[in-house]
Amino acid sequence: MIRDTHQLAKRFREVILDGTWVANTNFKDQLSGMSLGMATTKVGNLNTIAVLAQHIHYYIAGLNTVFSDGTLGISDKFSFDFPPMESQQQWDNFLDRLWSDAEKFASAVEQMLPEKLSEPFVHEQYGSYLRNIDCMIEHSYYHLGQIVIIKKLLQERS
């Protein structure tokens, strides 16, 4: 089944950059203007908001590399391994990179020929490009939900 690459790119932008259709919010809405303190505060044994955002960025950046040169250099086992954020500037710079890389991802999807969606993603064992793009969108919504809940719990504390 061939899907419209423009619609896939739109769905991806909705969860990360500017949409409200599915979750009534998006990553950019939830994270913009957030203090480093809030982003790095633990709630029980949950991941911090900063770690969840970095986790999603890890996959966005990794898929961008595949889109540009066909190389898959990421691994699930490293997808939560990040040095601690130590300053507000570092957090703000990370968010700028997240938005930029997300737009790069969406643009790459938009420019794909529809036939590319049914091709194997690097190796057949990883499924098709369509499957990986759909998974990136679904994975992002999953962690967006976590971020929203953690943010509410932190706001209740203050």
Side-chain angles (χ1 to χ4, degrees), residues 46-101:
L46 303 176
N47 287 306
T48 66
I49 290 171
V51 166
L52 293 171
Q54 289 173 293
H55 173 74
I56 286 299
H57 178 259
Y58 178 82
Y59 285 104
I60 291 169
L63 269 66
N64 277 343
T65 301
V66 174
F67 296 161
S68 66
D69 68 17
T71 304
L72 182 61
I74 58 173
S75 173
D76 292 346
K77 67 182 174 182
F78 301 121
S79 68
F80 282 101
D81 295 344
F82 308 105
M85 293 271 178
E86 296 180 353
S87 72
Q88 184 67 43
Q89 187 63 52
Q90 189 180 14
W91 171 243
D92 292 340
N93 290 345
F94 163 74
L95 290 177
D96 288 343
R97 195 168 54 254
L98 174 58
W99 314 143
S100 174
D101 287 347

Coordinates of all heavy atoms in Angstrom, one line a residue, residues 46-101:
L46 N 10.2 7.4 37.1 CA 9.9 7.7 35.7 C 11.1 8.5 35.1 O 11.9 9.1 35.8 CB 8.7 8.6 35.6 CG 7.4 8.1 36.2 CD1 6.3 9.1 36.0 CD2 7.0 6.8 35.5
N47 N 11.3 8.4 33.8 CA 12.3 9.2 33.1 C 11.9 10.6 33.3 O 10.7 11.0 33.4 CB 12.3 8.8 31.6 CG 13.0 7.5 31.4 OD1 14.1 7.2 31.8 ND2 12.3 6.6 30.7
T48 N 12.9 11.5 33.2 CA 12.6 12.9 33.2 C 12.1 13.4 31.9 O 12.3 12.7 30.9 CB 13.9 13.8 33.6 OG1 14.8 13.6 32.5 CG2 14.5 13.4 34.9
I49 N 11.5 14.5 31.8 CA 11.0 15.1 30.6 C 12.2 15.3 29.6 O 12.1 15.0 28.4 CB 10.3 16.4 30.8 CG1 8.9 16.2 31.5 CG2 10.1 17.2 29.5 CD1 8.2 17.4 32.0
A50 N 13.3 15.8 30.2 CA 14.5 16.0 29.3 C 14.9 14.7 28.7 O 15.3 14.6 27.5 CB 15.6 16.6 30.1
V51 N 15.0 13.6 29.4 CA 15.4 12.3 28.9 C 14.4 11.8 27.8 O 14.8 11.3 26.8 CB 15.6 11.3 30.0 CG1 15.7 9.9 29.5 CG2 16.9 11.6 30.8
L52 N 13.1 12.0 28.1 CA 12.1 11.6 27.1 C 12.3 12.4 25.8 O 12.2 11.8 24.7 CB 10.7 11.7 27.6 CG 10.4 10.7 28.8 CD1 9.1 11.1 29.4 CD2 10.4 9.3 28.3
A53 N 12.5 13.7 25.9 CA 12.7 14.5 24.7 C 13.9 14.1 24.0 O 14.0 14.0 22.7 CB 12.7 16.0 25.1
Q54 N 15.0 13.8 24.7 CA 16.3 13.4 24.0 C 16.1 12.1 23.4 O 16.7 11.8 22.3 CB 17.4 13.4 25.1 CG 17.8 14.8 25.5 CD 18.8 14.7 26.7 OE1 18.5 14.2 27.8 NE2 20.1 15.1 26.4
H55 N 15.3 11.2 24.0 CA 15.1 9.8 23.5 C 14.4 10.0 22.1 O 14.8 9.3 21.1 CB 14.2 9.1 24.5 CG 13.7 7.8 24.0 ND1 14.5 6.6 23.9 CD2 12.5 7.4 23.6 CE1 13.8 5.6 23.5 NE2 12.5 6.0 23.3
I56 N 13.4 10.8 22.0 CA 12.7 11.0 20.7 C 13.6 11.6 19.7 O 13.7 11.2 18.6 CB 11.4 11.8 20.9 CG1 10.3 10.9 21.6 CG2 10.9 12.4 19.6 CD1 9.9 9.7 20.9
H57 N 14.4 12.6 20.2 CA 15.3 13.2 19.2 C 16.4 12.2 18.7 O 16.8 12.3 17.6 CB 16.0 14.4 19.9 CG 17.0 15.1 19.0 ND1 18.4 14.8 19.1 CD2 16.9 15.9 17.9 CE1 19.0 15.5 18.2 NE2 18.1 16.1 17.4
Y58 N 16.8 11.3 19.6 CA 17.8 10.3 19.2 C 17.3 9.6 17.9 O 18.0 9.3 17.0 CB 18.0 9.4 20.4 CG 18.9 8.2 20.1 CD1 20.3 8.4 20.2 CD2 18.4 6.9 19.8 CE1 21.2 7.3 20.0 CE2 19.3 5.9 19.6 CZ 20.6 6.0 19.7 OH 21.5 5.0 19.5
Y59 N 16.0 9.2 18.0 CA 15.4 8.4 16.8 C 15.2 9.3 15.6 O 15.5 8.9 14.5 CB 14.2 7.7 17.2 CG 14.4 6.5 18.0 CD1 14.2 6.5 19.4 CD2 14.9 5.3 17.5 CE1 14.5 5.4 20.2 CE2 15.2 4.2 18.2 CZ 15.0 4.2 19.6 OH 15.3 3.1 20.3
I60 N 14.8 10.6 15.8 CA 14.6 11.5 14.7 C 15.9 11.7 14.0 O 16.0 11.6 12.8 CB 14.0 12.8 15.2 CG1 12.6 12.7 15.7 CG2 14.1 13.9 14.1 CD1 12.0 13.9 16.4
A61 N 17.0 12.0 14.8 CA 18.3 12.2 14.2 C 18.8 11.0 13.5 O 19.4 11.0 12.4 CB 19.3 12.7 15.2
G62 N 18.6 9.8 14.1 CA 19.0 8.6 13.5 C 18.3 8.3 12.1 O 18.9 7.8 11.2
L63 N 17.0 8.5 12.1 CA 16.3 8.3 10.9 C 16.7 9.3 9.8 O 16.7 9.0 8.6 CB 14.8 8.3 11.1 CG 14.2 6.9 11.4 CD1 14.7 6.3 12.7 CD2 12.7 6.9 11.3
N64 N 17.0 10.5 10.3 CA 17.4 11.6 9.3 C 18.7 11.1 8.6 O 18.9 11.4 7.4 CB 17.7 12.9 10.0 CG 16.4 13.7 10.2 OD1 15.4 13.5 9.5 ND2 16.5 14.7 11.1
T65 N 19.6 10.5 9.4 CA 20.8 9.9 8.8 C 20.5 8.9 7.7 O 21.1 8.9 6.6 CB 21.8 9.4 9.9 OG1 22.1 10.4 10.8 CG2 23.1 8.9 9.3
V66 N 19.6 8.0 8.0 CA 19.2 7.0 7.0 C 18.6 7.7 5.8 O 18.9 7.3 4.7 CB 18.1 6.0 7.6 CG1 17.6 5.1 6.5 CG2 18.8 5.2 8.8
F67 N 17.8 8.7 6.0 CA 17.2 9.4 4.9 C 18.2 10.1 4.0 O 18.1 10.1 2.8 CB 16.2 10.5 5.3 CG 14.9 9.9 6.0 CD1 14.2 10.8 6.8 CD2 14.5 8.6 5.9 CE1 13.1 10.3 7.5 CE2 13.4 8.2 6.6 CZ 12.7 9.0 7.4
S68 N 19.3 10.6 4.6 CA 20.3 11.3 3.8 C 21.3 10.4 3.2 O 21.8 10.7 2.1 CB 20.9 12.4 4.7 OG 21.7 11.8 5.7
D69 N 21.8 9.4 3.9 CA 22.9 8.6 3.3 C 22.7 7.1 3.5 O 23.6 6.3 3.1 CB 24.2 9.0 3.9 CG 24.5 8.7 5.4 OD1 23.7 7.9 5.9 OD2 25.4 9.3 6.0
G70 N 21.6 6.6 4.0 CA 21.3 5.2 4.0 C 22.0 4.5 5.2 O 21.8 3.3 5.3
T71 N 22.6 5.2 6.1 CA 23.4 4.6 7.2 C 22.5 4.6 8.4 O 22.0 5.6 8.8 CB 24.7 5.4 7.5 OG1 25.4 5.4 6.3 CG2 25.5 4.7 8.6
L72 N 22.4 3.4 9.0 CA 21.7 3.3 10.3 C 22.7 3.2 11.4 O 23.4 2.1 11.5 CB 20.8 2.0 10.3 CG 20.0 1.8 11.6 CD1 19.0 3.0 11.8 CD2 19.2 0.5 11.5
G73 N 22.9 4.2 12.2 CA 23.9 4.2 13.2 C 23.4 4.3 14.6 O 24.1 4.6 15.6
I74 N 22.1 4.1 14.8 CA 21.5 4.1 16.2 C 21.1 2.7 16.6 O 21.0 1.8 15.8 CB 20.3 5.0 16.2 CG1 19.2 4.6 15.2 CG2 20.7 6.5 16.0 CD1 17.9 5.3 15.3
S75 N 21.0 2.6 17.9 CA 20.7 1.3 18.5 C 19.7 1.5 19.7 O 20.0 2.4 20.5 CB 21.9 0.5 18.9 OG 21.6 -0.6 19.7
D76 N 18.7 0.7 19.8 CA 17.8 0.9 20.9 C 18.5 0.9 22.3 O 18.1 1.6 23.2 CB 16.7 -0.3 20.9 CG 15.8 -0.2 19.8 OD1 15.7 0.9 19.1 OD2 15.1 -1.2 19.5
K77 N 19.6 0.1 22.4 CA 20.3 0.0 23.7 C 20.9 1.3 24.1 O 21.2 1.5 25.3 CB 21.3 -1.1 23.7 CG 22.5 -1.0 22.8 CD 23.4 -2.2 22.9 CE 24.5 -2.1 21.9 NZ 25.3 -3.3 21.9
F78 N 21.1 2.3 23.2 CA 21.7 3.6 23.6 C 20.7 4.7 23.6 O 21.0 5.8 23.8 CB 22.8 3.9 22.6 CG 23.9 2.9 22.6 CD1 24.2 2.3 21.4 CD2 24.6 2.6 23.7 CE1 25.3 1.3 21.4 CE2 25.7 1.6 23.7 CZ 26.0 1.0 22.5
S79 N 19.4 4.4 23.4 CA 18.4 5.4 23.2 C 18.0 6.2 24.4 O 17.1 7.1 24.3 CB 17.2 4.8 22.5 OG 16.5 3.9 23.4
F80 N 18.5 5.8 25.6 CA 18.2 6.6 26.8 C 19.5 7.0 27.5 O 19.5 7.5 28.6 CB 17.4 5.7 27.8 CG 15.9 5.6 27.5 CD1 15.4 4.5 26.8 CD2 15.1 6.7 27.8 CE1 14.1 4.4 26.5 CE2 13.7 6.6 27.5 CZ 13.2 5.5 26.9
D81 N 20.6 6.9 26.8 CA 21.9 7.2 27.4 C 22.4 8.6 26.9 O 22.9 8.8 25.8 CB 23.0 6.2 26.9 CG 22.8 4.8 27.4 OD1 22.0 4.7 28.3 OD2 23.4 3.9 26.9
F82 N 22.2 9.6 27.8 CA 22.5 11.0 27.5 C 23.2 11.6 28.7 O 22.9 11.3 29.8 CB 21.2 11.8 27.2 CG 20.4 11.1 26.2 CD1 19.2 10.5 26.6 CD2 20.7 11.1 24.8 CE1 18.4 9.9 25.6 CE2 19.9 10.5 23.9 CZ 18.7 9.9 24.3
P83 N 24.2 12.5 28.4 CA 24.8 13.2 29.5 C 23.8 14.2 30.1 O 22.9 14.6 29.4 CB 26.0 14.0 28.8 CG 25.7 14.0 27.4 CD 24.8 12.8 27.1
P84 N 23.9 14.5 31.4 CA 22.9 15.4 32.0 C 23.0 16.8 31.4 O 24.1 17.2 31.0 CB 23.4 15.4 33.5 CG 24.7 14.8 33.5 CD 25.0 14.0 32.3
M85 N 21.8 17.4 31.3 CA 21.7 18.8 30.9 C 22.2 19.6 32.1 O 21.7 19.4 33.2 CB 20.3 19.1 30.6 CG 19.7 18.4 29.4 SD 20.1 19.4 27.9 CE 19.4 18.4 26.7
E86 N 23.1 20.5 31.9 CA 23.7 21.3 33.0 C 23.3 22.8 33.1 O 23.6 23.4 34.0 CB 25.2 21.0 33.1 CG 25.5 19.6 33.3 CD 27.0 19.3 33.4 OE1 27.8 20.2 33.1 OE2 27.3 18.2 33.7
S87 N 22.7 23.3 32.0 CA 22.4 24.7 32.0 C 21.1 24.9 31.2 O 20.8 24.1 30.3 CB 23.5 25.5 31.4 OG 23.6 25.3 30.0
Q88 N 20.5 26.0 31.5 CA 19.3 26.4 30.7 C 19.6 26.6 29.3 O 18.9 26.2 28.4 CB 18.6 27.7 31.3 CG 17.3 28.1 30.6 CD 16.2 27.1 30.9 OE1 16.0 26.6 32.0 NE2 15.4 26.7 29.8
Q89 N 20.8 27.2 29.0 CA 21.2 27.4 27.6 C 21.4 26.1 26.9 O 21.0 25.9 25.7 CB 22.5 28.2 27.6 CG 23.0 28.6 26.2 CD 21.9 29.5 25.5 OE1 21.6 30.5 26.1 NE2 21.5 29.2 24.3
Q90 N 21.9 25.1 27.6 CA 22.1 23.7 27.0 C 20.7 23.1 26.6 O 20.6 22.6 25.5 CB 22.9 22.8 27.9 CG 23.3 21.5 27.3 CD 24.1 20.7 28.3 OE1 24.1 20.9 29.5 NE2 24.7 19.6 27.8
W91 N 19.8 23.3 27.5 CA 18.4 22.8 27.3 C 17.8 23.5 26.1 O 17.2 22.9 25.2 CB 17.6 22.9 28.6 CG 16.1 22.6 28.4 CD1 15.1 23.5 28.7 CD2 15.5 21.4 28.1 NE1 13.9 23.0 28.5 CE2 14.1 21.7 28.1 CE3 15.9 20.2 27.7 CZ2 13.1 20.7 27.8 CZ3 15.0 19.2 27.4 CH2 13.6 19.4 27.5
D92 N 17.9 24.8 26.1 CA 17.3 25.6 25.0 C 17.9 25.3 23.7 O 17.2 25.2 22.7 CB 17.4 27.1 25.3 CG 16.6 27.6 26.5 OD1 15.6 26.9 26.9 OD2 16.9 28.7 27.0
N93 N 19.3 25.1 23.7 CA 19.9 24.7 22.4 C 19.5 23.3 22.0 O 19.3 23.1 20.7 CB 21.5 24.7 22.6 CG 22.0 26.1 22.8 OD1 21.4 27.1 22.5 ND2 23.3 26.2 23.3
F94 N 19.3 22.4 22.9 CA 18.8 21.1 22.5 C 17.4 21.2 21.9 O 17.1 20.6 20.9 CB 18.7 20.2 23.8 CG 17.8 19.0 23.5 CD1 18.2 17.9 22.7 CD2 16.5 19.0 24.0 CE1 17.4 16.9 22.4 CE2 15.7 17.9 23.8 CZ 16.1 16.9 22.9
L95 N 16.5 22.0 22.5 CA 15.2 22.2 21.9 C 15.2 22.7 20.5 O 14.5 22.3 19.6 CB 14.3 23.0 22.8 CG 13.9 22.4 24.2 CD1 13.1 23.4 25.0 CD2 13.1 21.1 24.0
D96 N 16.1 23.7 20.3 CA 16.3 24.3 18.9 C 16.7 23.2 18.0 O 16.2 23.1 16.8 CB 17.3 25.4 18.9 CG 16.8 26.7 19.6 OD1 15.6 26.8 19.8 OD2 17.6 27.5 20.0
R97 N 17.6 22.3 18.4 CA 18.1 21.2 17.5 C 16.9 20.2 17.3 O 16.8 19.7 16.2 CB 19.3 20.6 18.2 CG 20.1 19.7 17.3 CD 21.4 19.3 17.9 NE 21.3 18.7 19.2 CZ 21.7 19.3 20.3 NH1 22.2 20.5 20.3 NH2 21.6 18.6 21.5
L98 N 16.1 20.0 18.3 CA 15.0 19.1 18.2 C 14.0 19.6 17.1 O 13.6 18.9 16.2 CB 14.3 18.9 19.5 CG 13.0 18.1 19.5 CD1 13.2 16.7 18.9 CD2 12.4 18.0 20.9
W99 N 13.7 20.9 17.2 CA 12.7 21.5 16.3 C 13.3 21.4 14.8 O 12.6 21.1 13.9 CB 12.3 22.9 16.6 CG 11.9 23.1 18.1 CD1 12.2 24.2 18.8 CD2 11.2 22.2 18.9 NE1 11.7 24.1 20.1 CE2 11.1 22.9 20.2 CE3 10.7 20.9 18.8 CZ2 10.5 22.3 21.3 CZ3 10.0 20.3 19.9 CH2 9.9 21.0 21.1
S100 N 14.6 21.8 14.7 CA 15.2 21.8 13.4 C 15.3 20.4 12.8 O 15.0 20.2 11.6 CB 16.6 22.4 13.6 OG 17.4 22.3 12.4
D101 N 15.7 19.4 13.6 CA 15.8 18.1 13.1 C 14.5 17.5 12.8 O 14.3 16.7 11.9 CB 16.6 17.2 14.1 CG 18.1 17.5 14.1 OD1 18.6 18.2 13.2 OD2 18.8 17.0 15.0

